Each structure stands twice: as structure tokens, then as C-alpha cells.
Amino acid sequence: MQSQLPLYPEQASNFAPPIDALMIFITSICVFFAAGITIAIVYFFFKYRRKTPDDVGIVTREDSRLEAAWIVVPMILAMVMFSWGAVVYVDYRHTPSDTLDIYVVGKQWMWKVQQPNGLKEINELHVPVGRNIRLILASEDVIHDFFIPAFRVKMDVIPGNNHYNTMWFRPTKPGRYHFFCSQYCGTNHAIMGGWVTVMEPTDYAAWLSGSGAGGANPVVAGEKLFAEKACVTCHLANGTGRAPSLNGLYGAQVLLAGGTTVTADEAYIRESILQPNAKIVARYEPLMPSYQGQLTEEQILALTAYIKSLQSQPVPVQGAGVAPAGGGETAPATEKR
Amino acid sequence: MSEHSEHIVSPKIYVAIFLVLIVGTSLTVWAAFQNFHQFNIVIALGIASVKASLVVLYFMHARYSPKRTQLVIVCAIFWLAIMLALTLADYRTRQPRASGLISPTGVYYA
Amino acid sequence: MSDTPSPRVYEFPDMHYLNSSYRAGIRSWLLTTDHKRIALLYLASVTVFFFIGGVLATMIRIHLLTPGGALVTPETYNKLFTMHGVAMIFFFLIPSIPAILGNFLIPIMIGAKDLAFPKINLLSWYIYIVGGCFVLYSFSTGGLDTGWTFYTPLSSIYSNSAVTPAVIGIFINGFSSILTGLNFIVTIHTMRAPGMTWFRLPLFVWSHYATSLVMILGTPVVAITLLLAGLERMFHLGFFNPSMGGDPILFQHLFWFYSHPAVYIMILPAMGVISEIIPTFARKPIFGYTFIAASSIAIAVIGFLVWAHHMFVTGESTYAALAFSFLSYLVAIPSAIKVFNWTSTLYKGSISWDPPMIYALGFIGLFTIGGLTGLFLACLGLDIHIHDTYFVIAHFHYIMVGGAVMGYVGGLHFWWPKITGRLYPKALSRFAAIVLFIGFNLTFFPQFILGYLGMPRRYHSYPPEFQVLNVLSTAGASILALGYLLPMCYLTWSMRYGKVAGPNPWPATGLEWKTDSPPPTENFHVTPVVDWEPYDFRNRPDLGLVAGGAPLAPAHGDD
Amino acid sequence: MHRTGELYGQFQTLDQQKESATLGMWIFLVTEVLFFGGMFLTYTINRHEYFTAFGISSNTLDIKLGTINTGVLIMSSLTMAMAVWSAQVGKKQLVTGFLIATLALGTVFLGIKVVEYKQKFDHHLIPGRSFDVWYRVDHPTATDDPKEIANEREELHKATLTDPDIQSHGQLYFSLYFAMTGLHALHMIVGAGLLLWLIKESLRGRFTPQYNTPVENIGLYWHFVDIVWIYLFPLLYLIDRHR
Ligand code: HEA
Ligand code: HEA
Ligand code: CUA
Ligand SMILES: [Cu+2]
């Protein structure tokens, strides 16, 4: 397990062991040189410290063999590093032929994933363990980069129809791992991330066909709706969007524009969706479109269930829809993170 | 440092070069209307390079300049070549796109 | 203590470049063509940008104290690091050593009265100021949030910040760099004093020659690249615009064609400074003069062949990636040569612990770490993981702050007595160097680990598991800020109250030490004739170190 | 600026001064090569990718005007070279004459360029919202030859079959066209300014066999600008002309 201060992320793909090995190899060479030079400097520094003010150093003979040695030895070591790195890289850039293809589209600032059977996810990626996965990456606007530290892989996501990248990996360990956007792409670059879920192949198959936890669960359905109906585009989890973050909303006190507060219960959430302008959250514009007639009753329930599930998510300090506790500056649920 | 007993190029040479340049221009326009297939660009750039060299060598006196000036010119060409060659090296060796993929943004790649 | 002695009490010279001018007052500065005064103009303006960049850096670090971001909104954070990068790179570090120390010293070191084109030199400074004003205008009206790399299409189409004035400012500033480089090259070619052969040039001059090569060959490319991006933004033209079928990767090729070599613009002059300081305070000829000189040129040339190592995961061709990785390892070799030769110079030297030497040793240590971590990044397999993480941030701060800025501050300490004619308090500056060293490592070492753990750069908020290391880094940054504050204070103080330095306080062998401190406007009272080898302490009775001055050993081993 | 052949304070000899100036000019030209080089690279990559669109767009340029302009510029290079020669052999009147001729030819070049730009504007070939490669064939004027227009329409149709997004890719071409010729023209304007100064000085009889560095160096610049055009002409005007 990971210690409190780990030195490397979890190893969860076929690329993690070779890349970590490479890291250790290069580190040892570099430590060797850095230590050697430091020790030499410090030693000379004390050993040859000037004794008298007009002391002059002894002229040492230059030796071209010495010069040659410290050209050739680093050169050889460098070539070893290069070759080893090249092997790993070529492997990474050369996708095997038996991959499971998943489409990933980046846009400011979210990831849309499409599973082979057409199932769509937002900021989530489910993959089976042990299969070679190929991600086909495209961008709708600027350059992004899909980065999974636990897998040690990343690849830029380039806009334009004549240019898209692919990346591949083979997850080796079930679990949930962070993925990030690691090419700077504008305001919310930092929160353009999510989770990769590595599942046992049977679980994955069940998940895909929707018979597993996913399909019937209103929270999951709500999460999907939340993305599909574009709620996410305004309601960013970290509160930097045009609309308040809904994290921790359910059950909390909401400060309205008039200065009054209201408890965010199911009715309030329902009203907010269907008649958004009935109660306007303080500090926000009445931007939200009404979803009256666009959502079935079942969908509203699913959305409500999803919003309720966000109760356990961290509430951003700024931009939460919930009222400050007791007039203080921080939101009540902040400590939950 | 004082090697230059300045070389004066005679006007005759200038005029001759001028005529060659005009002929080159006509030639390149003529060539543009013929189809040499993949050599179209080679011919166009070939003629342009001959013309440019003549300008550098005679109008700009590079032929009679000190070695150092000539080195400066070579450097310019060399660095330009680095920039073009290494960048094109990337573009020309990009992996052929996997064919038959539907792009996630919905455009089909043949 | 066996510091360099200052047994004699010196008089401050009556006439020197600071007080002799046929113009009076502020005009004598704004219209000067004296390279020494222009150097001081640069010193003032570059310091302003360092201060701006430093304050922005401090805000970045404070913001990153908590995972959610402690200080500013995401937009503002993005502006902070962009403006920090732009101010530090284009307006502080690139002009710092060349335009200040290079400007001041190159003519004196080669025994000339001025640069070849003094008016163009002044023009360079004005261009720098105009470019700087555009950039400051951009900073103050809407800021800039594209990252210092200006990647399209974010910069050319999507960003809502003041990209246009910033791009224009950097474009303009490019010409300052170009003209400075041009001036140096011509000066070094044509203005050397009698006897100053190429292989008697101080290594500082060699490294500036190499730097100038990069400036004139690289800068025009970034100028046109940013211009094209700017045109794309201003007039909706299309060069890289993917929605017109353009290729945003092409922008990166063009950008890095300059910006990789530009990192050598930043480090080569610092290497030059170190190559002066080490032999002076070890009191012996530098080990491997020709190798160090040649490696400067090699870095400048090979440095142009590696740029796409910033693009390993953009989807560039595998073959190109292999070539660029290979060449990146090749460019590490000349740096290795320098590091080894500097270290060997210390062997059997007579090493004083004067402040410039402390800075120089700090430089070697930190530059080595920074350079060695460049090898991690140049490694194709490894770069897949650490590209665009804090590992990169740590790498380049080690080189640029630990290396180049350390070299710059060390160089200022070394030549301060020459520039101002006065000495600064030694103990205090030694202390400052150590504070810098400690603060620096505390700030940036944790970032290597952060990077390997997968924290991407340019993140205004981050997962909570990264907090401990970020807090360490912020703590270090506050020590670092103190480390910079100290020299700013005591150097300013010394201008007025410092002890008079005399012409050659260390003593050192270069021509610049054979004239008054501060030097007269025309640099030398009589044109010097050079008949000694560089860094030769034994055959220089004028230094007052060796009685008699009989040659005890060949100055340069067997080369 | 300064008096004839004056030795500046920083130099030891006039030779050294001249050597420095010439070296400086050449190095400046190196930077110019790389400056334009960036655009040539952008051009190469895009042309390679979108050859059809570049061909179609190139064919909309007026080859007559282009060729004439090339001739004019080469001519101006000749007169510039002659001005240098006249200075070297000490024919003061000739210097002025040739300089004026050079300036005149440069102005003609720029004038023709303006006419060409105007045409592009009229044909809606300026990148942006109103850009339309079809505009000319859809809105023929009275002076247009109907057969030619029909021909062009035919070509455009064919091109659209190979490159459906010719509207976008045509904009890439014209962006490059305007950027490259625009910066070239800007260099011409700067050159014209320098020529004006040279003419002023030469009217005062400044240039002699001993002192003619400014004429020579500005000449170098002028020839360089000519060389850029020598490449721009085939690259922009002469793509895919044969049909
Ligand atoms: C002054 C600035 C400077 C300098 C000198 C360098 C020097 C080097 N840099 Fe660095 N670099 C930057 C500034 C600098 N860099 C910046 C600013 C970025 C990020 C830009 C951005 O994206 O914002 C960057 C990014 C960067 C990357 C891209 C990372 C990424 O984004 O994925 C790479 C990859 O190859 C790289 C490599 C190198 C190498 C190999 C060197 C070499 O020149 C180092 C050579 C030195 C040594 C090797 C040490 C001394 C040698 C020895 C002690 C002997 C032992 C040697 C061997 C065994 C070979 N650098
Ligand atoms: C020359 C170049 C240079 C220099 C000197 C520095 C100096 C510093 N830099 Fe920076 N940095 C860059 C070049 C440089 N940087 C670049 C190019 C980037 C990338 C930008 C991008 O991604 O686009 C970057 C990015 C960058 C980041 C990453 C941001 C991100 O990706 O999210 C961080 C974070 O810690 C950082 C920190 C610092 C710190 C703490 C210093 C310290 O060394 C600064 C210390 C200096 C001072 C503090 C000023 C002097 C002190 C005083 C005058 C005392 C009084 C002042 C105060 C008390 C405030 N820098
Ligand atoms: Cu998307 Cu960063
Ligand atoms: Cu680099």
C-alpha cells in the first residue's frame, strides 16, 4: 500500500513497471554523478582553502585522456538511457492489434467517453483489467492531454479533423485511479479530470450491458442526465462555473438573492429545475433555462437522486450554492474534503 | 583586418546577370504552364534558387567577399535547412492514420 | 580568514563613466551610447521585471498552499503563472546577463572602447522598454492566461485575455535580443585589442559569442511565429487554426525551434560567468580552456537540433521523437564537459571563500541537478509520464533559478566592485548565498516528487494527497524570497557606503581589471596590448601575488 | 546622422569601421532569412496538406501582374547594384540617378501590389466571414469573359470533389498570401525609406569611392528583399497553373 508520502503513484498498468524501472535506473546514474561532483567540490573546497592572502594555485597539467574520458563515459551512459527509453516509447506508440477501442473527446473542460457499445460517460472511464485498451482521442476546441498517472501514460488531444491521437495501455490492477488533463487548456484546466475505474472483465461486461449497478440506479442515471442535459456545463463541481456548485447542496441552507434563505429539500431542487427563476441563488444571475417539459418525471427523480448523492462531495469554498454557516465566511461542509 | 582592396564588379556583369534573371523569370512562368508532375515544384524552386544565388553572388558581391561573409551566408542557409528539414522529418514520418476509424467528433477518416 | 585581502586603501577615481558626460542629469542616461551606462539602464529595468515575476511567483506559491487554492480564482491563477513565465523568461532572464554584464564587460574584456554599434545598443534598450510596456499593458488590462508557451488554438482563438498586446510586446522585444546579439558578434569579430587573439578571449566572451549566435538565429523565428499567432487572433487569418484545417502542432515546432535554443541563451552566459569566477577564486588557470570554449559553441549549435523533445506526446512521429531524444542526449555532453572542467579547476587551487565563489559553487550543484533531470525528460519512455507535470517545473527552475539566476547574482557580486567601484559586506552576502541555496532546494526539490506522483503543472487546484509537498515548496519559496531581498538591499547600500574597491580587488586576470573601478568612459586610458594567456596568475607580476614573476609552469598544461 | 567618412569614437580605423558595418548588415540579413523562413515552413506544411485548395487559390492570382512585378523588382535590383557601382567609381550624379530609379521601381512594385490586393478584396478572398472562393464565379462582372468564368466554375467543382472543405483551406492559402506578401511589402516600404535617406545624402555628394558603405549596405538589404520575392513568386503565383 501507499505510504503517507509515496514516491511514485500506484502501478496499475503494463507501462508502470518498465517506466518505474527506467526512473530508478536514470536516477541512480544521476545520483552517482551529482554525488561525485558535490563531494569533489566540497572536498576541494576545504582541502585547498587559501592559506595565505597571496597564495596562488598550482597549475595542473591538462590531460586530453581525462577530457576524452569524461566525454566518452557520459556519452555511453546517455546512449544506454536513450535506448532503453526508446524501447519503452516505441512500445507505447505502437498499438497492438487486439485492442478494445474507446473514444475520448476532450472539450473545455470535461471529458466525454464513449464505450464500444455506445455507452457514454462523462469524466469517468471504465475499463476491464488485463485487456489492451486503445483510447482514440479528439478535441472539440483546444489541445488537451489525457493523463493517467497510475498507468504512466499520457497523450495530447489535438483539435482538428486531420489530426487525432491514440494511446494504449493494459490495466493490470482493479481499482479507481485519477486521470487528469495535463495540457493547459484554459480556465478550468485543473478540474478537467476524473476517474478511471478498472474492473474485472465480468464486472465490466455487466456494467456495459447496464444490468449491473449502473442501469437501474437512479443516481447513475441522474449523473448521465446531468451531463446529457448540459447541467455540468454551468454547475461545475468546484464552483467556478456560471452556476453554483451543487455539492453538499441537499439539506443545506441556500442564501437567496433577496437575502432570505431556504432549505434545499427535494421540492426546492425540483422547483429549481422546472422554474429556475422562482428562487434565485444569491450572487448568481438568473441564467438557468427552465427544463419544464424537457424532462420526464422519472428523469427529474433521477436528477434529484444524483444531486442528493453529491451531499458527500467536497463543497468548494467559493461558488457553492449553500449559504455560509452562521454568517461566517466558509461553507459548512468544507471540512468534508 | 584590412584585406579589402575592394572588388568592383563591372556594369557589364550586372546587366548580364539582370538578363539571366529576366530569362529565368520567363522560364519559370513558362514551366508553370507545363505539367512535369512531381517535378513542377522542383523546377520552380530550382529556377528560383539559381536566380537567388546569382543575386547573392553578383549583386551582393558575395563571390568577392571575404571568407567570413561567405560563412555567414552559409550559416543562414544551413539554419534554415535545419528548421525545414527536421520539421518536415516529423511530418513525413508520422504514422499513417489507422484507417476506417470514425473520429469521436463525428468525422470519418478514410 | 584568508579572504582576498584589501590591504591598500584606494581613492575613488575622479572621472569615470558615471560622472563624466557632456550631457547632464537624466538626459545623460537616456541619450547615452556608453555601453556601461546602457548596461545599468538594463540593470534597472530588468530588476523591475524580476520583481514583478517574483511577486507573481510568491502569489502562485501562496495559492497552492491548499488543494482548493487559497488565494485567487482559477482565471487569476492562470494569469499568475503565465505572466510569471513571460516576465521571467522574456523580460528578465534572457536579457539579464547578456544585456547587463555582457554589455558592460565585453568591450572592456576585449580591450575596446565600446561595442561596434553604440547607437544600436541604446536602440536595443528602447526596444526592450517599448516591448516591456506592451506586455505590462497586457498584464494590467485583462492579463494573459495562455501559458508562456502561447499554444494555439488556445492563444489565437479561445483565450479571453489580452493576448494581442502581449504577443506584440514579445515580438518587439525579440528585436532587442537580435540587435544585442548582432552587436556582440560584430564587436567580438572586429574590435579586439592588439594581442587579443581568439584563444586569449575570456571564456565569458566565448559564451556570449555562442549566446549571440542563438539570439540571431533563433529569435527571428519566435518573432514570426508569435506574429502569425497574433495575426490569427487579430484578423482571423488561419495558419495553425484547426477549424480551417491548420495544424496547431506546427506552432509548437516553430515556437520550440526558438524556445529550446533560448534556454541556452539563458544558461550560456551564466556558464560564462562561472568560468570567470572559478579560476579567479581558485587562483589558477581554468582547466581545459579550449574544451570549455568549444563546448559553448557546441551547445549553441546542437541546441538547435533538439527542440521537439518538448513534443514527445503531441503525437509527433515516432522516428522524429527518436531523433530528437538522441540529439537531446548529445547536447548534454558539452554541459558535462564544462561541469567536469570546472570541478577539476578547483583541484590544487588556492580557494577563497569570497561571496562570488559561494554563488559559483551553488551554481554548479544546482545546475548539475537541473541538467541531470533534463536527462529524465529527454528519455522518451520516461517523458510519457513526467511531461507537463511538476517534474518539468522543478527541472527548469533548477536550471534557470538555481543555475542561471545564481550565475547572474554571482556575476553581479563578482563585477559589482568594477561596476560601482565599491565593495559590499562580505559576510552578509555569503549568508545570503547560503539562504538562497537552502530556500531554493526546499522550494523546488519537493516538486520533483510531486511531478512523479502525477501532479500536472498549471493546476490551480489539486487532489489533497499532494498538499504536504506543496506546503513544503511554499515554505521554501518564502526563504528564497528573503535570499533575493538581501542582495537587493546590501548591493544598493554599497553603492553609496561600500568600501572603495580599487581597480582589482580580488585580484583577477582579465583586462577589465586593468582599468579603474568604475572605468573611465573610454574604458582604458591607453589602448591595452595583450601579451598574456588568460587566467594566468603566475606570469602576472602586476597582480602583486607572485614576487619576481618568473614563469613557473606553462600556463596551459600541454595544449 | 554623421559626416562623410567620419571615424566613430569606438573604432580605431576606418577599415575596421567599414568591416563592422558590413558584417553587421550580413548578420542582420541572416536574421531576416530565418524570419521569413518561419513563414516558408508554415507555407510548406499547409501546401503539402491541401494542395488542391492551394492550387485553386493560386490560380486566382493575376499572373500578368505578378510577372511584371517580378521584372520590376529585378530591374530595381539592377539599378541598386549600379548605384553601388557608381559610388565605387565616384560618379556622384549617377549615384543619385540610380537611387532615384530604384526608388521609383520600388514604388511601382508597391503600386501594383495595391492593385492586386484590391482585386482580392473585390473577389471576397480576404480570410474571414465574407471569404468565398465561389464569389467571383457567382458574381461575374461585365468585363469578365463568360467562357473563362465557366471554366473556373468547372475547376472549382472538380476541386471540391477532392477537397470538400476548400472554403477553409482556401483561407489558409490567402492567410499565407497576405502575411508573406504583406511582410515583404513592409520590407519594401522600409527599404524605400532608407532609399529616400540615401538620395538625400547623395544629393549632398556624400558618397565617394572612399566612403560608400551606406549605399552598399542598403543595397544588400534591397537585394535581399528581391530574393524573398524571387521565392514568393513561384510559390504563390505558380502552383498548378497547367490545365
Ligand atoms: C536555462 C534553461 C534550460 C536548460 C539549460 C535546459 C537544459 C536541458 N533540458 Fe530543459 N527545459 C527548460 C529549461 C532548460 N533546460 C524549460 C524552461 C523547460 C520547460 C518549458 C515549458 O514547457 O514550459 C524545459 C523542458 C525540457 C524538456 C521537455 C519536458 C517536457 O515538457 O516533457 C526536456 C526533454 O528532453 C528537457 C531536456 C533538457 C536537457 C537534456 C538539457 C541539457 O542541456 C542539460 C545538460 C546538463 C547536464 C546533463 C548536467 C551536467 C552533466 C553532468 C554532471 C555529467 C553527467 C552527464 C551524463 C551522464 C550525460 N528540458
Ligand atoms: C527565469 C525564469 C524563472 C524564475 C527566476 C522563476 C522563479 C520562481 N518560480 Fe517560476 N516559472 C517560470 C520561470 C521562472 N520562475 C516559468 C517559465 C514557468 C512556467 C509558466 C507557465 O507554465 O506558463 C514557471 C512556473 C512556476 C510555477 C508553476 C506554476 C504552475 O504550473 O501552476 C511555480 C510554482 O511553484 C513557480 C515558482 C517560482 C518561484 C517560487 C520562483 C522564485 O525563485 C522567485 C523568487 C523571487 C522573488 C520572490 C522576487 C525577489 C524577492 C524580493 C524582491 C523580495 C520581496 C518580495 C516578496 C516577499 C514577495 N514558477
Ligand atoms: Cu483540458 Cu487541460
Ligand atoms: Cu528544451
Side-chain angles (χ1 to χ4, degrees), chain A residues 22 26 81-82 84-86 89, chain C residues 312 325 329 374-384 386:
Chain A
L22 200 51
I26 300 186
M81 294 184 225
F82 161 72
W84 187 349
Y89 183 79
Chain C
F312 287 154
S325 168
Y329 278 109
L375 303 176
F376 292 64
L377 294 165
C379 176
L380 285 166
L382 208 46
D383 189 61
I384 303 170
I386 54 188

Side-chain angles (χ1 to χ4, degrees), chain A residues 10 12-13 102 104 111 113 115 121-129 133 135 146-153 167 169-180 193-199 204 207:
Chain A
E10 252 182 291
S13 86
I102 298 178
V104 176
W111 294 100
V113 172
Q115 294 284 348
E121 312 178 67
I122 301 274
N123 293 348
E124 287 281 344
L125 171 64
H126 287 74
V127 288
V129 71
I133 313 284
L135 302 184
F146 198 78
F147 175 32
I148 315 169
F151 295 180
R152 313 287 189 280
V153 289
M167 68 197 272
F169 51 83
R170 187 172 61 251
T172 53
K173 196 167 138 196
R176 261 168 85 71
Y177 309 102
H178 262 305
F179 69 76
F180 299 113
W195 295 89
V196 189
T197 311
V198 181
M199 310 166 97
Y204 174 71
W207 174 83

Side-chain angles (χ1 to χ4, degrees), chain C residues 10-16 19 420-421 500 502-503 516-520 525:
Chain C
Y10 292 97
E11 292 282 315
F12 210 76
D14 291 337
M15 285 295 271
H16 50 82
N19 66 6
T420 63
V500 176
D516 296 345
S517 311
H525 297 294

